[in-house]
């Protein structure tokens, strides 16, 4: 005989624990890890309170006990009941994303989804229909967001082309060196041979470690000339966009965005970097910056290089920047 232990977090204890055991006692809970839910825990609590109030099978647990300030309800195991419990958690996650900016949405969807919850079987059908609907809407939102991002990056790339052609004409025809995709060690050995020609040993090793640790992208490096290293270990379409740019008396600079495309949409932002030309020293430089600065003003991104703002672009202290 197997038993389903359902421990749901209460206010101030934002977590849940769902366990299948051969025993109905608290020794089961003591042996299993409790899963944290962070921001969605309160939604899970609301979902389970509604289920407990509506479904007769959940109103009559086989056994009840307390462990770690949490009440556990124990039920005789059935596949349908286990499916419903796990679907309820998935439903809470999806509901959190679907209703993220509308508080009234939560109660409206739960009322509709659980309207047929007079039994486990009917509840599974009702919740599943809402899950399918919310996932379709979320997928539509995701595609719309990716399309909007692609449109924005394509527009800004066009606007910065004149600076690229004037100062960085070799960026679009940079020689590309392929490194091994067999494994990390092989990739690292190939990359370090190339990067040692451009950087000191410690810098070359740091870059080689970063690009071979699962990046699956194409990376640019600059020391006078610009080169590219192809560290893709799986087929993916990588494109480099120019998100913003500036041309001042002292320097010209372009913010580069390396992105992976799937089916004509941006699937992932791989990296963000600043490519610049120092007019006083006649030097080209390229520095990778946190992806969180992707849509921050290019001057704000430059301040991150100077250590004056955090990875979100927030000022670390009041200062007056004086440049000769």
């Amino acid at each position: 005989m197997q038993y389903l232990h359902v421990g749901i977090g209460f206010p101030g204890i934002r977590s849940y624990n769902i366990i299948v055991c051969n025993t109905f006692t608290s020794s089961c809970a003591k042996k299993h890890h409790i899963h944290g839910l962070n921001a969605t825990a309160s939604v899970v609590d609301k979902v389970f309170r509604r289920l407990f109030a509506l479904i007769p099978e959940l109103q009559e647990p086989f056994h009840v006990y307390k462990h770690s300030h949490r009440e556990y309800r124990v039920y005789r195991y059935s596949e349908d009941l286990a499916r419903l419990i796990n679907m309820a958690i998935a439903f809470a996650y999806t509901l959190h994303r679907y209703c993220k900016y509308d508080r009234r949405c939560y109660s409206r969807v739960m009322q509709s989804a659980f309207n047929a919850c007079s039994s486990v079987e009917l509840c599974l059908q009702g919740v599943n229909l809402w899950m399918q609907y919310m996932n379709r809407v979320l997928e539509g939102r995701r595609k719309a967001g990716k399309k909007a991002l692609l449109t924005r990056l394509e527009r800004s790339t066009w606007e910065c082309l004149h600076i690229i052609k004037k100062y960085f004409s070799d960026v679009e025809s940079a020689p590309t060196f392929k490194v091994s995709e067999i494994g990390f060690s092989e990739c690292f050995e190939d990359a370090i041979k190339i990067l040692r020609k451009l950087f000191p040993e410690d810098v070359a090793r740091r870059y080689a470690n970063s690009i071979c640790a699962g990046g699956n992208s194409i990376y640019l490096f600059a020391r006078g000339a610009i080169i590219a290293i192809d560290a893709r270990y799986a087929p993916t379409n990588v494109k480099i966009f120019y998100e913003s740019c500036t041309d001042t008396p002292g320097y010209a600079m372009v913010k580069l965005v390396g992105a992976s495309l799937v089916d004509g949409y941006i699937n992932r932002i791989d990296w963000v970097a600043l490519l610049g030309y120092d007019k006083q020293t006649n030097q080209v430089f390229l520095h990778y910056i946190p992806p969180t600065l992707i849509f921050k003003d290019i001057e704000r991104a430059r301040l991150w290089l100077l250590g004056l703002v955090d990875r979100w672009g927030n000022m670390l202290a009041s200062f007056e920047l004086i440049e000769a």
Side-chain angles (χ1 to χ4, degrees):
M1 173 71 72
Q2 286 188 314
Y3 299 92
L4 187 66
H5 296 239
V6 182
I8 303 302
F10 297 99
I13 310 175
R14 296 306 187 192
S15 57
Y16 73 94
N17 209 7
I18 311 298
I19 322 165
V20 176
C21 279
N22 292 325
T23 178
F24 58 84
T25 65
S26 61
S27 60
C28 176
K30 293 175 182 177
K31 296 178 182 178
H32 290 78
H33 176 66
I34 295 175
H35 309 280
L37 271 184
N38 300 323
T40 55
S42 60
V43 185
V44 174
D45 292 343
K46 292 175 183 177
V47 168
F48 273 93
R49 288 195 201 104
R50 185 66 67 91
L51 285 178
F52 289 147
L54 292 174
I55 299 179
E57 290 92 328
L58 291 175
Q59 293 170 6
E60 299 179 1
F62 174 80
H63 181 56
V64 177
Y65 65 86
K66 287 189 177 181
H67 174 67
S68 296
H69 307 290
R70 181 174 287 99
E71 182 179 84
Y72 283 80
R73 302 185 181 194
V74 184
Y75 304 91
R76 287 187 174 86
Y77 179 83
S78 75
E79 288 190 9
D80 281 350
L81 187 59
R83 278 181 58 210
L84 179 61
I85 295 297
N86 285 295
M87 186 180 291
I89 295 169
F91 176 83
Y93 274 97
T94 307
L95 181 65
H96 180 70
R97 292 164 53 215
Y98 179 77
C99 296
K100 196 169 185 179
Y101 303 107
D102 184 356
R103 289 184 177 274
R104 291 175 297 180
C105 171
Y106 288 97
S107 57
R108 186 172 65 247
V109 173
M110 280 197 289
Q111 182 176 358
S112 177
F114 298 143
N115 189 47
C117 283
S118 58
S119 69
V120 172
E121 185 179 353
L122 290 174
C123 199
L124 275 169
Q125 295 175 8
V127 173
N128 187 49
L129 285 173
W130 259 102
M131 282 281 289
Q132 292 176 7
Y133 172 75
M134 289 191 293
N135 282 323
R136 286 197 302 270
V137 172
L138 288 169
E139 178 63 17
R141 291 178 187 173
R142 188 179 68 88
K143 286 187 175 180
K146 288 185 175 184
K147 184 176 181 181
L149 176 58
L150 179 61
T151 300
R152 172 173 177 166
L153 290 177
E154 287 178 336
R155 185 185 301 116
S156 60
T157 295
W158 176 259
E159 292 171 351
C160 290
L161 272 178
H162 67 288
I163 290 183
I164 289 291
K165 291 179 179 179
K166 183 175 181 180
Y167 297 103
F168 314 105
S169 57
D170 57 341
V171 71
E172 294 186 338
S173 58
T176 301
F177 299 88
K178 183 74 176 78
V179 296
S180 174
E181 70 276 6
I182 295 174
F184 175 83
S185 298
E186 292 81 1
C187 173
F188 184 88
E189 289 302 318
D190 286 352
I192 198 72
K193 290 176 185 177
I194 302 165
L195 293 168
R196 278 180 181 143
K197 300 175 183 179
L198 303 175
F199 304 102
E201 180 71 17
D202 60 330
V203 177
R205 295 185 74 85
R206 189 167 66 247
Y207 274 136
N209 184 74
S210 296
I211 69 174
C212 292
N216 194 33
S217 189
I218 297 175
Y219 299 86
L220 296 183
F221 297 93
R223 269 296 184 271
I226 298 173
I227 69 164
I229 294 183
D230 185 346
R232 290 176 293 179
Y233 55 81
T236 183
N237 179 20
V238 176
K239 186 172 182 179
I240 296 172
F241 298 92
Y242 315 132
E243 193 278 325
S244 55
C245 49
T246 186
D247 190 357
T248 73
Y251 58 86
M253 194 161 53
V254 179
K255 190 194 298 180
L256 307 180
V257 176
S260 300
L261 277 66
V262 174
D263 297 330
Y265 294 100
I266 291 181
N267 184 57
R268 184 184 68 245
I269 299 298
D270 294 330
W271 50 262
V272 181
L274 290 181
L275 174 64
Y277 170 64
D278 189 319
K279 297 179 180 180
Q280 296 180 356
T281 62
N282 195 31
Q283 295 244 335
V284 174
F285 59 87
L286 189 150
H287 297 286
Y288 287 90
I289 63 175
T292 46
L293 297 172
I294 181 172
F295 294 130
K296 293 295 181 181
D297 181 85
I298 192 169
E299 290 298 330
R300 185 60 61 97
R302 187 172 75 97
L303 292 179
W304 181 86
L305 293 178
L306 300 173
L308 299 174
V309 301
D310 64 15
R311 62 184 288 107
W312 303 100
N314 301 314
M315 297 292 184
L316 295 175
S318 59
F319 61 86
E320 181 181 358
L321 186 62
I322 301 175
E323 298 182 276

